Amino acid sequence: MTPAYCRLSAPAVICSLGDNHGTIIDALAKGQRGLTGSERYTPGRMLALGDVTVPLVSSDAWPFEHASRNNRLIATALEALGPQLEETLAHHAPHRIAVVMGTSTSGISETEAAIARTGPGNEFDEHYRYAHQELGAPAHFIRAHLGLSGPAWTISTACSSGARALSAARRLLLSGQADAVIAGGADTLCHLTAHGFDALGAISDTPCQPFTAERRGINIGEAAALFIVTREAGGIQLTGYGESSDAYHISAPAPDGQGAITAIRQALDMAGRAPNDIDYLNLHGTATTHNDAMEALALHDVFGDRQPPASSTKALTGHTLGAAGALEAAFCWLALEHGFLPRHVHDQPLDETLMPLSLVSEDSAGQPRVALSNAFAFGGNNAVLVLERSDA
């Protein structure tokens, strides 16, 4: 039987921590937040946001329907893939390269700008294109931008979208439908998400505090994270994934964590791993009251008293929504490749009513070889990934 290789290339990462591996690794290892205060979406009220501040590529020469900030973020990540992408395009036919992306907002910020120009309820002007906000836009843009003709689609399952894009890439490869897949996630800050999460009472004005007693909710961030996924040995492998759906509530997780438990166990089983094989766990860790309690409970069901070193990197980047699953898989990739544990950052006391976790502190040390990443989304849409070094 042919081994089920699913190699993840070095990721291209654009987020509030920066756009190069060295800067991002330094921030993850030291627990350096990439959040800034802004009233851009809430005039008169300062929010902590995970803004991308690095320069993005220009869209001036693109067809107008592709000219959104979300696609500029993606194009900047494509450039960051560099020689890896060039080699993929040179060695595989266009129809054998697939694209699977995750997003939750796509280019909705362009629609918001159009409404601001023309006024609510009025006809849009000539600068508006519905294509900007289509959820399928990220994958369609990449396929057109690179001249590809293979399968291309975008997954929008809220906060699990980017993780599910990677599991879909694995299925495409192992079923023989593609020889390489460009997969990941991208989401851009906009009024819709800032006001939407605020309406749910789930947004924190100040930097978020996952798993603390005084946690008040999430910070919104933006990011793009892309991988080239191939059926090759070596490197960092995506060896397992788990997917489940609670269908418990439109926004709240099932309190007993059974959907999360199912997804974690599926991922471990596919990877052929026992719970005590996990050296690092990237928590979903949104800093909302219910999600953190559910996740801690689920992890104790799976891992018991032997909790792996864990951290929620959302305290550093903000919650990047549809990009989060891919971004945090990229952080796991960096931790495995470079031998460090991303810090769990909080400056408030931890919640002693939660099941205890082994949170990574400044005194923690380790060189992980097998990592697990959780993504638990609205509607109880759960996705869990297992990544490991090929020598693990």
Side-chain angles (χ1 to χ4, degrees), residues 57-84:
V57 300
S58 172
S59 60
D60 290 348
W62 298 356
F64 191 66
E65 62 267 24
H66 292 318
S68 69
R69 176 174 168 78
N70 208 52
N71 285 343
R72 291 178 62 212
L73 196 60
I74 292 168
T76 306
L78 287 172
E79 285 197 354
L81 285 172
Q84 300 177 116

Side-chain angles (χ1 to χ4, degrees), residues 42-205:
T42 51
R45 177 186 173 194
M46 191 75 70
L47 293 182
L49 300 175
D51 275 296
V52 168
T53 58
V54 300
L56 303 181
V57 300
S58 172
S59 60
D60 290 348
W62 298 356
F64 191 66
E65 62 267 24
H66 292 318
S68 69
R69 176 174 168 78
N70 208 52
N71 285 343
R72 291 178 62 212
L73 196 60
I74 292 168
T76 306
L78 287 172
E79 285 197 354
L81 285 172
Q84 300 177 116
L85 179 58
E86 294 174 11
E87 183 178 352
T88 299
L89 297 175
H91 286 82
H92 299 290
H95 72 281
R96 297 294 297 170
I97 302 174
V99 180
V100 187
M101 289 292 291
T103 195
S104 65
T105 62
S106 191
I108 196 69
S109 57
E110 273 64 41
T111 299
E112 293 174 348
I115 293 172
R117 287 194 307 269
T118 60
N122 295 325
E123 289 189 11
F124 289 120
D125 58 24
E126 70 275 12
H127 299 295
Y128 168 75
R129 294 291 187 281
Y130 177 76
H132 290 156
Q133 71 179 54
E134 288 183 331
L135 290 174
H140 293 159
F141 165 71
I142 292 174
R143 180 164 61 174
H145 193 65
L146 299 179
L148 305 177
S149 54
W153 70 87
T154 303
I155 294 170
S156 188
T157 52
C159 313
S160 62
S161 304
R164 289 176 63 92
L166 291 172
S167 59
R170 191 178 195 272
R171 290 192 292 271
L172 275 169
L173 291 173
L174 300 188
S175 65
Q177 296 178 75
D179 297 323
V181 185
I182 298 168
D187 246 330
T188 311
L189 285 166
C190 61
H191 288 82
L192 175 69
T193 49
H195 289 283
F197 279 95
D198 188 34
L200 291 171
I203 202 164
S204 174
D205 295 6

Side-chain angles (χ1 to χ4, degrees), residues 123-392:
E123 289 189 11
F124 289 120
D125 58 24
E126 70 275 12
H127 299 295
Y128 168 75
R129 294 291 187 281
Y130 177 76
H132 290 156
Q133 71 179 54
E134 288 183 331
L135 290 174
H140 293 159
F141 165 71
I142 292 174
R143 180 164 61 174
H145 193 65
L146 299 179
L148 305 177
S149 54
W153 70 87
T154 303
I155 294 170
S156 188
T157 52
C159 313
S160 62
S161 304
R164 289 176 63 92
L166 291 172
S167 59
R170 191 178 195 272
R171 290 192 292 271
L172 275 169
L173 291 173
L174 300 188
S175 65
Q177 296 178 75
D179 297 323
V181 185
I182 298 168
D187 246 330
T188 311
L189 285 166
C190 61
H191 288 82
L192 175 69
T193 49
H195 289 283
F197 279 95
D198 188 34
L200 291 171
I203 202 164
S204 174
D205 295 6
T206 56
C208 68
Q209 306 283 337
F211 300 96
T212 66
E214 298 299 321
R215 62 192 185 275
R216 291 289 181 264
I218 71 173
N219 305 135
I220 304 292
E222 60 183 355
L226 297 180
F227 295 87
I228 299 172
V229 192
T230 54
R231 279 193 307 271
E232 296 179 89
I236 306 299
Q237 297 279 327
L238 174 59
T239 56
Y241 63 82
E243 299 174 336
S244 68
S245 180
D246 301 343
Y248 169 79
H249 185 273
I250 193 169
S251 61
D256 62 7
Q258 286 304 309
I261 292 166
T262 296
I264 294 169
R265 293 194 181 280
Q266 284 180 357
L268 291 171
D269 289 346
M270 183 182 292
R273 290 291 179 183
N276 62 8
D277 290 329
I278 301 301
D279 302 314
Y280 170 66
L281 169 58
N282 188 284
L283 300 160
H284 187 58
T286 60
T288 57
T289 301
H290 298 301
N291 182 88
D292 286 6
M294 178 279 292
E295 187 169 15
L297 184 66
L299 292 174
H300 264 266
D301 185 281
V302 176
F303 294 97
D305 293 332
R306 191 275 180 193
Q307 292 291 311
S311 62
S312 170
T313 49
K314 290 181 177 69
L316 309 181
T317 64
H319 191 342
T320 60
L321 307 180
L327 179 66
E328 290 159 20
F331 292 164
C332 289
W333 192 102
L334 293 172
L336 295 171
E337 179 70 13
H338 297 279
F340 73 98
L341 297 173
R343 282 271 303 278
H344 183 85
V345 175
H346 62 97
D347 48 29
Q348 296 177 1
L350 294 173
D351 188 345
E352 295 183 356
T353 69
L354 300 182
M355 300 299 286
L357 303 174
S358 181
L359 299 174
V360 178
S361 70
E362 60 183 347
D363 299 322
S364 303
Q367 294 186 326
R369 301 169 70 205
V370 185
L372 185 143
S373 186
N374 288 338
F376 305 136
F378 278 4
N381 194 296
N382 307 300
V384 176
L385 305 176
V386 176
L387 282 69
E388 55 187 271
R389 293 182 62 90
S390 60
D391 60 348

